[in-house]
Amino acid sequence: MFLLVFLWSCVTLSDLESQVDLQYQAWCAQSETAVVERVYDGDTLFLQGQDNGIRLLGVAAPEVQSSSGPAECFGENSRDFLDALVEGEKIILEFDVECEDIYSRQLSWIFIEGDDPEIAGWMSDYDMMGLNEDGSYRLLVNELILRAGYATVFQGEVAKNIRYTDRLEKAEEEAEEEGLGLWSFCP
């Protein structure tokens, strides 16, 4: 014990800082809860009482049919999956480095908490984090969309958002390996 105290006293704080990579990460906003009013497509939704959409971070879902063109392969499926998962639900929004995209949509990680056996089953089958022994969960929706094969990892300008990047990349890789969703349906 004496040796440890002696060694500690010989090391200054600046020495420790140079040896340890200290990183402080500030998120652009604090977490908040809201209720989903409607889903636009597989990576964009609208909240009750808000005009601008919420863009799911790290997710690039195929486009749905719109005035700018036809639906992409699996676009409608992706939208329907997200819609069934979150429409009318209370969600938790967590933010990252950037809070808005170029279209003034909020960029967010979306979580839902609950005990729905179907969602708990997916989480168990896909070996996802956030599932408790009693069947309750805290689900990262962005991750499930990728793991079930309804989208790919977003590779655009907002790539500096880092909070759950490793989880998303793993989810996409596993869905592709298993040929889930768009990985088997789309050329």
Side-chain angles (χ1 to χ4, degrees), residues 8 11-24:
W8 178 257
V11 177
T12 67
L13 185 57
S14 62
D15 290 336
L16 284 175
E17 287 175 349
S18 67
Q19 294 174 22
V20 178
D21 180 21
L22 299 175
Q23 181 178 3
Y24 171 76

Side-chain angles (χ1 to χ4, degrees), residues 3-178:
L3 180 59
L4 184 60
V5 171
F6 174 74
L7 288 174
W8 178 257
S9 66
C10 294
V11 177
T12 67
L13 185 57
S14 62
D15 290 336
L16 284 175
E17 287 175 349
S18 67
Q19 294 174 22
V20 178
D21 180 21
L22 299 175
Q23 181 178 3
Y24 171 76
Q25 181 61 59
W27 309 125
C28 64
Q30 291 185 355
S31 298
E32 59 184 70
T33 59
V35 175
V36 176
E37 183 174 290
R38 67 182 175 91
V39 170
Y40 175 74
D41 62 17
D43 57 33
T44 306
L45 51 89
F46 290 85
L47 304 176
Q48 289 180 355
Q50 292 186 352
D51 293 331
N52 293 339
I54 302 291
R55 176 74 163 73
L56 278 67
L57 276 167
V59 176
E63 296 301 320
V64 296
Q65 182 174 347
S66 70
S67 60
S68 59
E72 294 178 348
C73 179
F74 225 63
E76 307 294 333
N77 304 73
S78 180
R79 182 203 50 222
D80 293 347
F81 182 76
L82 181 61
D83 185 61
L85 197 59
V86 300
E87 186 173 1
E89 297 292 326
K90 180 176 153 184
I91 61 171
I92 302 159
L93 295 93
E94 284 189 9
F95 301 97
D96 211 301
V97 176
E98 296 178 301
C99 274
E100 275 191 7
D101 68 6
I102 60 172
Y103 303 107
S104 297
R105 295 178 296 189
Q106 273 188 304
L107 299 170
S108 182
W109 303 105
I110 305 293
F111 286 88
I112 54 175
E113 295 177 339
D115 59 4
D116 182 303
E118 183 176 29
I119 293 172
W122 290 331
M123 292 178 75
S124 177
D125 291 346
Y126 296 148
D127 196 27
M128 294 177 64
M129 294 175 64
L131 179 62
N132 302 312
E133 288 184 25
D134 66 357
S136 65
Y137 52 80
R138 178 178 166 89
L139 169 69
L140 176 56
V141 172
N142 313 50
E143 180 181 22
L144 178 60
I145 290 169
L146 292 164
R147 184 61 183 91
Y150 287 96
T152 59
V153 171
F154 184 77
Q155 301 294 329
E157 293 291 319
V158 293
K160 59 182 150 178
N161 291 293
I162 57 170
R163 210 166 182 173
Y164 300 104
T165 302
D166 294 341
R167 287 172 63 176
L168 297 190
E169 289 172 352
K170 180 181 179 219
E172 179 189 59
E173 181 180 300
E174 290 172 348
E176 183 178 12
E177 285 174 4
E178 295 171 22

